[in-house]
Amino acid sequence: MKSGRGQDALDTSSSCPSAQPDMAGAVVFGVVGGTADSPDVAYLEERQPVTPELLDLAGPVEPTEVFRFGAPCATSGCQHFDGARCSLAAKIVTLPPVVRRLPRCSLRPTCRWWREQGPRACARCPAVVTTDYAPTPALAEVADPAIAVAQLTTTRLEE
Amino acid sequence: MPDQREPANIALEEVTHAAFHGVLRALEARKLPVEKFPGPILVGIIAWPELRHGEMFRQVEAHGT
């Protein structure tokens, strides 16, 4: 199901798991724990609506440093959308997995990363912070829309 | 390859506590020690009916500023 809004057509059937809280239909599904060097997302048992009170919990930092938000995929409105698929998801699965088994996740049924990359995406998802002031070099490469999947794959094979 | 860990889940009533630690993690990532943060850090006042204890309030006082 798509809602056409000029150039940016939301895909309401598919959720972005690294969204901004001000996006239409945004929910919170995780809280970023761990350390600056090793973030570790804890998943809420049930997704929750985004409220001013929840955003206030992030206090002196941005909500996207503390929470993981899901929202309808912005498709062509997103720099990671290649016209058909999410290039960010494709790049994330080039990283090593960080969990032994899949997290129980309330967003998974509609998550684009899950739909396109399957369990491999979920095994890396807990390491993802939407706004990260101390990303690892590997995560910084993954998040850079100018770096294509093929470049990462080639690099990782050479390592 | 990093060690693989067990995934974590939290209940609604644990969100405030988890967010508090999330803020501390974010400050660490920004290289801003809590001790040097100007003024107290006010971490959320929520009153979700689902919480057993109603309102929760947590404050971290800056030290040495």
Side-chain angles (χ1 to χ4, degrees), chain A residues 118-137:
Chain A
R120 294 187 306 157
C122 301
R124 281 86 175 161
C125 181
V128 173
V129 184
T130 300
T131 299
D132 193 350
Y133 279 76
T136 62

Side-chain angles (χ1 to χ4, degrees), chain B residues 19-53:
Chain B
F20 175 73
H21 288 283
V23 169
L24 296 182
R25 188 213 68 83
L27 290 174
E28 179 190 355
R30 290 180 177 222
K31 295 182 171 49
L32 286 175
V34 171
E35 294 76 15
K36 294 184 180 178
F37 201 86
I41 299 172
L42 200 64
V43 183
I45 302 174
I46 62 174
W48 288 341
E50 293 83 357
L51 293 176
R52 284 192 294 270
H53 302 295

Side-chain angles (χ1 to χ4, degrees), chain A residues 21 26-28 48-57 63 67 69, chain B residues 45-46 48:
Chain A
V27 296
V28 61
Q48 297 294 322
V50 178
T51 63
E53 293 80 9
L54 178 108
L55 296 178
D56 284 344
L57 289 177
F67 297 106
F69 298 96
Chain B
I45 302 174
I46 62 174
W48 288 341

Side-chain angles (χ1 to χ4, degrees), chain A residues 10 18 32 35-40 45 48 55 62 88 95 117 121 127 136 142 153:
Chain A
L10 292 178
S18 190
V32 182
T35 64
D37 292 334
S38 184
D40 186 13
E45 292 175 346
Q48 297 294 322
L55 296 178
E62 298 171 45
L88 181 57
L95 299 170
Q117 304 297 333
T136 62
V142 162
T153 305

Side-chain angles (χ1 to χ4, degrees), chain A residues 31 34 38-43 68 92-93 95-105 108 114 118-128, chain B residues 1-9:
Chain A
V31 184
S38 184
D40 186 13
V41 175
Y43 294 80
R68 286 282 298 280
I92 280 174
V93 297
L95 299 170
V98 295
V99 287
R100 295 188 183 91
R101 55 183 176 84
L102 299 191
R104 289 199 316 271
C105 174
R108 184 173 293 130
W114 159 258
R120 294 187 306 157
C122 301
R124 281 86 175 161
C125 181
V128 173
Chain B
M1 181 175 293
D3 291 336
Q4 294 181 24
R5 51 185 182 263
E6 288 296 315
N9 284 95

